[in-house]
Amino acid sequence: MIAILKPGVSETQIENLKTWLLSKNVDVHISRGKFQTVMGLVGDTSKIDSDLLEGLDIVEAVRLVSDPFKSANRKFHPDDTVIDVRGHKIGGGNFQLIAGPCSVETPEQILTVAESVKASGANILRGGAFKPRTSPYDFQGLGETGLKYLLEAGKAADLPVVTEIMNIEHIPMFDDVDIIQVGARNMQNFELLKELGKIEKPILLKRGLANTLKELLMSAEYIMSEGNQEVILCERGIRTFETFTRNTLDLSAVPVLHDLTHLPVIVDPSHATGHAYLVESMAMAGTAAGADGIMIEVHNDPSKALCDGAQSLTPEQFRRTAQKVMKIREVL
Ligand code: PEP
Ligand code: MN
């Protein structure tokens, strides 16, 4: 961390600031220029509030030299993290297709979709039981019953399952779930993230609607700093001025994240676009950009879906999309 002091700061003020910084257990290197003095802070600067420092009368600006995320940082962990979900690996060159309905609706619905997506090459089944809906009057998911149907379908089709959690108190209910999803709306639910850091289970962390990639990595850091190192990041589109698509898919997030972190990165073209006809091209684009997996919403009858029907593929559309995604993988 570097603090650039304002011109004309007195020696006493510099010494006072230095004494305060030393009390925070960092080394301070002072370089006096003709007009301005610069202080270099070396050591563990994580306890120093850079905003507070920048707010001091005598400080003009503060620059961060090292990244505030450590566990997720590729600089400290150069090798890709590979997450093994019951034999299906994600990351480090391993790619997975995750598919299933937005919401679990009935035992028949989730089982039909599970079998069809498996036949098309998906190795992980998705399905929401607790749904974060914008309106309290919309279908909120089947809750614990939905979890039960999802687990039964996963078992019958021999597919690991991923499903979203919204409440810390529900964690014990997710014991048999293979991957726990933290949705976009909860990306910064820090208490939830900390608790998920204490369990041994992969966490699929989706990027928030209006969050930067650095913020996404800091949320991953919340999980990892508590012990759980198995985090899968998911780009699912961000809110921009464009309203034609539900969100704007930030494809560059994939290579940027691969550069910054060793964690696997997947793309969700369903929530990113909001329209079924756009899902295939964006699934291929996400794959071409280097994603470690693609997560797609598939419904046996999208027009009757209780949630996100407009962006859901039919099993037949998914079959074609999966084939094209696999062709892109071959080219890569
Ligand atoms: C979902 O995956 O069903 C979902 C609600 O996604 P997001 O959190 O990205 O909106
Ligand atoms: Mn959905």
Side-chain angles (χ1 to χ4, degrees), residues 106-133:
T106 64
E108 297 74 31
Q109 171 245 15
I110 187 68
L111 183 57
T112 312
V113 177
E115 283 169 343
S116 72
V117 298
K118 184 178 180 179
S120 300
N123 278 330
I124 300 172
L125 175 66
R126 65 150 286 147
F130 296 93
K131 295 303 305 176
R133 303 304 301 276

Side-chain angles (χ1 to χ4, degrees), residues 258-299:
H258 277 323
D259 186 50
L260 293 173
T261 179
H262 50 91
L263 296 173
V265 181
I266 69 165
V267 167
D268 169 352
S270 305
H271 292 89
T273 61
H275 301 279
Y277 82 97
L278 296 174
V279 169
E280 180 173 288
S281 46
M282 291 301 100
M284 290 196 291
T287 309
D292 301 296
I294 299 286
M295 180 158 82
I296 295 181
E297 286 188 341
V298 179
H299 195 281

Side-chain angles (χ1 to χ4, degrees), residues 95 284 287-290 322-332:
F95 180 91
M284 290 196 291
T287 309
Q323 275 176 358
K324 292 196 181 176
V325 164
M326 289 313 170
K327 286 215 176 100
I328 301 273
R329 284 289 299 168
E330 280 166 29
V331 173
L332 293 178

Side-chain angles (χ1 to χ4, degrees), residues 101-103 126 131-133 164 181 206 246 268 270-271 297 307-309 311-312:
C102 180
S103 308
R126 65 150 286 147
K131 295 303 305 176
R133 303 304 301 276
E164 178 165 354
Q181 174 172 319
K206 296 188 104 180
R246 183 174 178 183
D268 169 352
S270 305
H271 292 89
E297 286 188 341
C307 181
D308 286 350
Q311 68 193 32
S312 298

Side-chain angles (χ1 to χ4, degrees), residues 58-253:
I58 62 166
V59 176
E60 187 172 283
V62 171
R63 302 264 184 280
L64 300 181
V65 179
S66 59
D67 302 317
F69 55 102
K70 305 282 179 224
S71 302
N73 202 321
R74 195 182 276 285
K75 279 185 204 149
F76 308 117
H77 310 263
D79 294 339
D80 285 337
T81 286
V82 178
I83 295 179
D84 191 318
V85 190
R86 285 211 269 130
H88 305 294
K89 295 192 173 113
I90 307 179
N94 302 283
F95 180 91
Q96 293 302 335
L97 271 176
I98 304 173
C102 180
S103 308
V104 178
E105 297 173 5
T106 64
E108 297 74 31
Q109 171 245 15
I110 187 68
L111 183 57
T112 312
V113 177
E115 283 169 343
S116 72
V117 298
K118 184 178 180 179
S120 300
N123 278 330
I124 300 172
L125 175 66
R126 65 150 286 147
F130 296 93
K131 295 303 305 176
R133 303 304 301 276
T134 300
S135 166
Y137 307 116
D138 285 340
F139 176 60
Q140 302 287 305
L142 297 181
E144 202 167 0
T145 311
L147 273 186
K148 181 171 161 281
Y149 296 162
L150 176 69
L151 288 166
E152 282 167 2
K155 208 166 176 195
D158 192 24
L159 286 176
V161 300
V162 55
T163 189
E164 178 165 354
I165 193 163
M166 296 209 294
N167 187 332
I168 293 187
E169 284 161 23
H170 292 168
I171 292 177
M173 265 187 230
F174 285 65
D175 266 357
D176 296 329
V177 166
D178 300 281
I179 306 175
I180 300 184
Q181 174 172 319
V182 174
R185 290 153 192 84
N186 272 308
M187 188 204 90
Q188 289 193 313
N189 182 339
F190 301 120
E191 291 306 312
L192 177 62
L193 299 178
K194 281 194 253 179
E195 285 310 307
L196 294 173
K198 293 177 188 150
I199 63 175
E200 283 179 32
K201 208 182 268 298
I203 307 297
L204 173 52
L205 179 64
K206 296 188 104 180
R207 181 180 184 179
L209 276 72
N211 286 111
T212 64
L213 296 175
K214 284 269 168 81
E215 286 164 345
L216 173 62
L217 289 170
M218 290 312 292
S219 289
E221 199 72 18
Y222 262 95
I223 300 168
M224 299 173 87
S225 62
E226 295 291 335
N228 187 352
Q229 305 300 301
E230 299 204 305
V231 180
I232 302 163
L233 304 171
C234 179
E235 165 59 38
R236 45 78 73 209
I238 48 175
R239 183 161 287 182
T240 67
F241 52 80
E242 181 56 70
T243 52
F244 190 78
T245 44
R246 183 174 178 183
N247 292 289
T248 297
L249 179 57
D250 179 9
L251 275 178
S252 55

Side-chain angles (χ1 to χ4, degrees), residues 2-20:
I2 292 170
I4 303 155
L5 305 190
K6 286 185 181 157
V9 187
S10 73
E11 270 312 308
T12 319
Q13 286 173 309
I14 295 175
E15 278 311 310
N16 287 346
L17 180 56
K18 183 178 171 184
T19 308
W20 180 69

